[in-house]
Amino acid sequence: CSLIVKNSISDYACFLRGINVGGHKKVPMAELRASFESLGFREVRTLLNSGNVVFHTATEPEAALDRRIAAKLKATFGFDIGVITRTMKSLRQMVRADPFKGIPVTPDTRLYVTFFSAPPVNKLELPYESKDKGLRILGFTDAALFTVLTLSGKRGSVDAMAFIEKTFGQGVTTRNWNTILRMVEKGS
C-alpha cells in the first residue's frame, strides 16, 4: 500500500513595486494576469492598476515565489519589477489584528502598510512621530510597517515613502490600508 500525498494549495497576495506610476514601467493588468497564469497559478485576480495580485498555487516559500514571479515578469515586460509575496492567511491575521484600531481618520489621513522584502535593518524607537507630527509609525514586524500620514500643503505621500525608503531601504512596497482590506475581501 502506498501513501499518496497531494501538494497543499495556498492563496497568496503579491505586491509589485513601482509599476504604472507616472507612465513608467507600464504593465497592463490583462498581461500581468496572463503572466501569473503561465506560471501555473490559478484564480489569478488583480486589484487596481498598481500591481496587486491574488492567486492560488501549491504551497511554496514566499521568497521562492518572489524569485519565480520576478524572473517571469522581467522576461515578459523587459524590466525588473520588485515583487513581495505574502500568504493571504498572514493578511487576514493582519486585518484581524487591526494595527490602526483607534486612529481617527479624516479626509487628510492616510493609513499605510509597507511590506519588507527582508527583515528591516534600521529599527526606529517606536512609536515614532515626525517633528511636525504628520507622520507616525505605529509599529512594525519583520514583514511589515504600519504608518499614519496626515497630508498637508507641505507633506504628501511621496515624502512619507521617501522617508520610509531612506530609513528601511528600497526593498519595500507600500499600500493603503483600504487596498489591503479589499485584497483580503477579494482573496476570500
Side-chain angles (χ1 to χ4, degrees):
C1 180
S2 63
L3 177 65
I4 298 174
V5 178
K6 293 185 178 182
N7 287 338
S8 62
I9 301 295
S10 294
D11 52 340
Y12 293 92
C14 184
F15 304 96
L16 306 183
R17 177 181 160 83
I19 67 163
N20 299 331
V21 178
H24 301 284
K25 291 190 172 183
K26 291 185 179 184
V27 175
M29 293 300 101
E31 291 178 41
L32 179 62
R33 281 189 300 276
S35 294
F36 273 68
E37 289 167 350
S38 75
L39 289 169
F41 302 155
R42 298 191 322 248
E43 298 183 42
V44 177
R45 292 158 294 185
T46 58
L47 176 67
L48 303 173
N49 203 34
S50 56
N52 307 298
V53 185
V54 175
F55 63 95
H56 297 278
T57 192
T59 301
E60 187 174 339
E62 294 165 358
L65 285 168
D66 290 349
R67 287 189 296 274
R68 281 201 316 133
I69 294 166
K72 177 62 179 177
L73 296 179
K74 183 169 186 169
T76 302
F77 299 106
F79 48 83
D80 290 319
I81 298 173
V83 175
I84 297 178
T85 306
R86 295 290 183 259
T87 64
M88 287 302 296
K89 178 181 178 182
S90 70
L91 292 185
R92 286 184 206 96
Q93 289 170 338
M94 182 186 297
V95 167
R96 279 193 300 273
D98 192 0
F100 301 105
K101 185 177 183 176
I103 300 295
V105 177
T106 70
D108 293 328
T109 305
R110 302 294 181 269
L111 307 177
Y112 290 119
V113 177
T114 299
F115 294 99
F116 300 119
S117 59
V121 175
N122 188 349
K123 296 190 176 184
L124 296 173
E125 193 170 322
L126 296 180
Y128 169 83
E129 188 168 48
S130 63
K131 289 180 185 177
D132 67 359
K133 303 196 183 302
L135 175 67
R136 292 183 288 157
I137 298 176
L138 304 177
F140 59 90
T141 67
D142 282 348
L145 172 77
F146 307 101
T147 307
V148 178
L149 174 68
T150 304
L151 300 176
S152 75
K154 297 179 182 179
R155 175 188 347 87
S157 295
V158 172
D159 302 313
M161 299 313 109
F163 173 80
I164 289 169
E165 285 184 9
K166 181 180 176 188
T167 305
F168 295 97
Q170 292 191 345
V172 301
T173 192
T174 300
R175 296 299 187 272
N176 187 291
W177 181 241
N178 289 330
T179 301
I180 303 303
L181 296 174
R182 288 178 62 192
M183 287 188 77
V184 166
E185 180 181 306
K186 192 172 197 104
S188 297

